[in-house]
PDB file of all heavy atoms in Angstrom:
ATOM      1  N   LEU A 119     -16.574 -15.957  -6.293  1.00 97.00           N
ATOM      2  CA  LEU A 119     -16.460 -14.752  -5.627  1.00 97.00           C
ATOM      3  C   LEU A 119     -16.551 -15.170  -4.103  1.00 97.00           C
ATOM      4  O   LEU A 119     -17.520 -15.714  -3.686  1.00 97.00           O
ATOM      5  CB  LEU A 119     -17.649 -13.756  -5.990  1.00 97.00           C
ATOM      6  CG  LEU A 119     -17.647 -12.429  -5.129  1.00 97.00           C
ATOM      7  CD1 LEU A 119     -16.449 -11.576  -5.374  1.00 97.00           C
ATOM      8  CD2 LEU A 119     -18.894 -11.533  -5.548  1.00 97.00           C
ATOM      9  N   VAL A 120     -15.600 -14.733  -3.377  1.00 97.00           N
ATOM     10  CA  VAL A 120     -15.514 -15.090  -1.952  1.00 97.00           C
ATOM     11  C   VAL A 120     -15.908 -13.848  -1.097  1.00 97.00           C
ATOM     12  O   VAL A 120     -15.093 -12.978  -1.151  1.00 97.00           O
ATOM     13  CB  VAL A 120     -14.267 -15.637  -1.477  1.00 97.00           C
ATOM     14  CG1 VAL A 120     -14.296 -16.165  -0.091  1.00 97.00           C
ATOM     15  CG2 VAL A 120     -13.848 -16.831  -2.442  1.00 97.00           C
ATOM     16  N   GLY A 121     -16.948 -13.895  -0.450  1.00 95.00           N
ATOM     17  CA  GLY A 121     -17.364 -12.754   0.467  1.00 95.00           C
ATOM     18  C   GLY A 121     -17.678 -13.303   1.837  1.00 95.00           C
ATOM     19  O   GLY A 121     -17.333 -14.332   2.256  1.00 95.00           O
ATOM     20  N   SER A 122     -18.441 -12.413   2.563  1.00 91.00           N
ATOM     21  CA  SER A 122     -18.728 -12.797   3.972  1.00 91.00           C
ATOM     22  C   SER A 122     -20.205 -12.428   4.251  1.00 91.00           C
ATOM     23  O   SER A 122     -20.638 -11.327   3.641  1.00 91.00           O
ATOM     24  CB  SER A 122     -17.884 -12.082   4.933  1.00 91.00           C
ATOM     25  OG  SER A 122     -18.327 -12.275   6.262  1.00 91.00           O
ATOM     26  N   GLU A 123     -20.924 -13.154   4.940  1.00 81.00           N
ATOM     27  CA  GLU A 123     -22.288 -12.888   5.190  1.00 81.00           C
ATOM     28  C   GLU A 123     -22.381 -11.786   6.360  1.00 81.00           C
ATOM     29  O   GLU A 123     -23.411 -11.089   6.437  1.00 81.00           O
ATOM     30  CB  GLU A 123     -23.176 -14.109   5.584  1.00 81.00           C
ATOM     31  CG  GLU A 123     -23.249 -15.158   4.455  1.00 81.00           C
ATOM     32  CD  GLU A 123     -24.046 -16.365   4.919  1.00 81.00           C
ATOM     33  OE1 GLU A 123     -24.321 -16.484   6.182  1.00 81.00           O
ATOM     34  OE2 GLU A 123     -24.454 -17.170   4.022  1.00 81.00           O
ATOM     35  N   GLN A 124     -21.423 -11.575   7.080  1.00 74.00           N
ATOM     36  CA  GLN A 124     -21.394 -10.598   8.219  1.00 74.00           C
ATOM     37  C   GLN A 124     -21.205  -9.210   7.532  1.00 74.00           C
ATOM     38  O   GLN A 124     -20.573  -9.082   6.458  1.00 74.00           O
ATOM     39  CB  GLN A 124     -20.162 -10.984   9.123  1.00 74.00           C
ATOM     40  CG  GLN A 124     -20.359 -12.160  10.016  1.00 74.00           C
ATOM     41  CD  GLN A 124     -19.625 -13.334   9.377  1.00 74.00           C
ATOM     42  OE1 GLN A 124     -19.354 -13.374   8.235  1.00 74.00           O
ATOM     43  NE2 GLN A 124     -19.355 -14.339  10.222  1.00 74.00           N
ATOM     44  N   ARG A 125     -21.770  -8.332   8.221  1.00 65.00           N
ATOM     45  CA  ARG A 125     -21.561  -6.894   7.760  1.00 65.00           C
ATOM     46  C   ARG A 125     -20.282  -6.439   7.974  1.00 65.00           C
ATOM     47  O   ARG A 125     -19.465  -6.856   8.846  1.00 65.00           O
ATOM     48  CB  ARG A 125     -22.509  -6.008   8.500  1.00 65.00           C
ATOM     49  CG  ARG A 125     -23.980  -6.228   8.390  1.00 65.00           C
ATOM     50  CD  ARG A 125     -24.859  -5.311   9.120  1.00 65.00           C
ATOM     51  NE  ARG A 125     -24.605  -4.016   8.793  1.00 65.00           N
ATOM     52  CZ  ARG A 125     -25.245  -2.878   9.358  1.00 65.00           C
ATOM     53  NH1 ARG A 125     -25.993  -3.173  10.431  1.00 65.00           N
ATOM     54  NH2 ARG A 125     -24.935  -1.631   9.097  1.00 65.00           N
ATOM     55  N   THR A 126     -19.705  -5.702   7.004  1.00 61.00           N
ATOM     56  CA  THR A 126     -18.366  -5.105   7.071  1.00 61.00           C
ATOM     57  C   THR A 126     -18.215  -4.142   8.380  1.00 61.00           C
ATOM     58  O   THR A 126     -19.228  -3.665   8.832  1.00 61.00           O
ATOM     59  CB  THR A 126     -17.996  -4.274   5.911  1.00 61.00           C
ATOM     60  OG1 THR A 126     -18.869  -3.224   5.728  1.00 61.00           O
ATOM     61  CG2 THR A 126     -17.951  -5.185   4.611  1.00 61.00           C
ATOM     62  N   SER A 127     -17.028  -4.108   8.911  1.00 55.00           N
ATOM     63  CA  SER A 127     -16.787  -3.449  10.031  1.00 55.00           C
ATOM     64  C   SER A 127     -16.792  -2.005   9.891  1.00 55.00           C
ATOM     65  O   SER A 127     -16.861  -1.394   8.815  1.00 55.00           O
ATOM     66  CB  SER A 127     -15.409  -3.813  10.616  1.00 55.00           C
ATOM     67  OG  SER A 127     -14.328  -3.410   9.728  1.00 55.00           O
ATOM     68  N   ALA A 128     -17.019  -1.316  10.987  1.00 62.00           N
ATOM     69  CA  ALA A 128     -16.948   0.197  10.953  1.00 62.00           C
ATOM     70  C   ALA A 128     -15.707   0.808  10.555  1.00 62.00           C
ATOM     71  O   ALA A 128     -14.641  -0.059  10.526  1.00 62.00           O
ATOM     72  CB  ALA A 128     -17.316   0.735  12.502  1.00 62.00           C
ATOM     73  N   ALA A 129     -15.676   2.014  10.223  1.00 67.00           N
ATOM     74  CA  ALA A 129     -14.398   2.453   9.467  1.00 67.00           C
ATOM     75  C   ALA A 129     -13.128   2.444  10.422  1.00 67.00           C
ATOM     76  O   ALA A 129     -12.043   2.124   9.815  1.00 67.00           O
ATOM     77  CB  ALA A 129     -14.648   3.956   9.212  1.00 67.00           C
ATOM     78  N   LEU A 130     -13.288   2.584  11.671  1.00 80.00           N
ATOM     79  CA  LEU A 130     -12.058   2.624  12.550  1.00 80.00           C
ATOM     80  C   LEU A 130     -11.721   1.150  13.024  1.00 80.00           C
ATOM     81  O   LEU A 130     -10.766   1.072  13.696  1.00 80.00           O
ATOM     82  CB  LEU A 130     -12.223   3.597  13.807  1.00 80.00           C
ATOM     83  CG  LEU A 130     -12.358   4.953  13.258  1.00 80.00           C
ATOM     84  CD1 LEU A 130     -12.664   5.859  14.495  1.00 80.00           C
ATOM     85  CD2 LEU A 130     -11.096   5.444  12.556  1.00 80.00           C
ATOM     86  N   ARG A 131     -12.462   0.141  12.686  1.00 88.00           N
ATOM     87  CA  ARG A 131     -12.090  -1.114  13.079  1.00 88.00           C
ATOM     88  C   ARG A 131     -10.996  -1.666  12.254  1.00 88.00           C
ATOM     89  O   ARG A 131     -10.811  -1.446  11.094  1.00 88.00           O
ATOM     90  CB  ARG A 131     -13.410  -2.219  12.869  1.00 88.00           C
ATOM     91  CG  ARG A 131     -14.453  -1.958  13.716  1.00 88.00           C
ATOM     92  CD  ARG A 131     -14.244  -2.644  15.079  1.00 88.00           C
ATOM     93  NE  ARG A 131     -14.020  -4.100  14.872  1.00 88.00           N
ATOM     94  CZ  ARG A 131     -13.842  -4.974  15.903  1.00 88.00           C
ATOM     95  NH1 ARG A 131     -13.726  -4.415  17.196  1.00 88.00           N
ATOM     96  NH2 ARG A 131     -13.797  -6.174  15.711  1.00 88.00           N
TER      97      ARG A 131
END
Side-chain angles (χ1 to χ4, degrees):
L119 179 61
V120 184
S122 172
E123 293 180 350
Q124 291 94 338
R125 295 180 60 184
T126 56
S127 61
L130 294 179
R131 289 278 298 176

